[in-house]
Amino acid sequence: MSMYETDFHQWIEEQSDLLRSGQLTQLDMTNLVEELQSMSARERRELINRLAVLLAQLLNWEFQPERRSTNWRLTINEQRWRKQAFSSRLSQRAVFTASPTSSTKTAGRALETDFRLLDWPPIGRVRYG
């Protein structure tokens, strides 16, 4: 069994040391590439989830004004802040390819309403506050 499989933390430290010292031929390239791809996928999933929560909260805010609350406002602000933090770490291509359909589908499942997304009128700019 490799160190990657038995002691992940130690494997990371070893790979970092090898990179810093320029010993590229000693790197565990297979697992290193896999981990980097996994990190990228995790970041995109997190961004999609943040966008979905934000979209659901904004739709709820727009179409259920009688249920507006401080909690909703705080959630909207928090998700906007976190989305911005993720967006600054991802390329614009990653942000835009992560955004439209995945986050919309996820948001549709997260809505606090009995309405279907298609039943709602078109939205201009959703405002809150």
Side-chain angles (χ1 to χ4, degrees), residues 65-129:
E66 71 284 353
R67 295 184 62 198
R68 289 179 182 171
S69 66
T70 302
N71 186 43
W72 279 10
R73 183 188 317 261
L74 292 173
T75 300
I76 289 168
N77 288 338
E78 174 75 9
Q79 296 308 314
R80 282 183 169 161
W81 179 82
R82 289 186 183 264
K83 182 206 82 63
Q84 185 62 35
F86 275 102
S87 296
S88 67
R89 293 196 319 244
L90 297 172
S91 70
Q92 288 301 314
R93 181 177 168 266
V95 170
F96 288 116
T97 59
S99 306
T101 55
S102 297
S103 55
T104 303
K105 288 178 185 175
T106 305
R109 290 190 295 270
L111 291 171
E112 295 180 19
T113 181
D114 293 332
F115 295 116
R116 293 179 319 126
L117 196 56
L118 297 175
D119 293 337
W120 288 353
I123 305 173
R125 180 181 163 107
V126 177
R127 293 178 201 84
Y128 79 100

Side-chain angles (χ1 to χ4, degrees), residues 25-70:
T25 59
Q26 301 298 312
L27 289 169
D28 178 359
M29 288 294 193
T30 302
N31 289 320
L32 195 53
V33 167
E34 183 179 318
E35 283 304 315
L36 290 172
Q37 289 173 332
S38 177
M39 286 173 56
S40 176
R42 220 174 11 257
E43 290 283 310
R44 283 194 70 215
R45 277 192 307 273
E46 181 68 20
L47 177 59
I48 288 168
N49 288 336
R50 296 285 172 197
L51 289 171
V53 170
L54 177 58
L55 180 58
Q57 288 300 104
L58 288 170
L59 288 169
N60 281 328
W61 187 273
E62 179 73 12
F63 294 106
Q64 297 184 66
E66 71 284 353
R67 295 184 62 198
R68 289 179 182 171
S69 66
T70 302

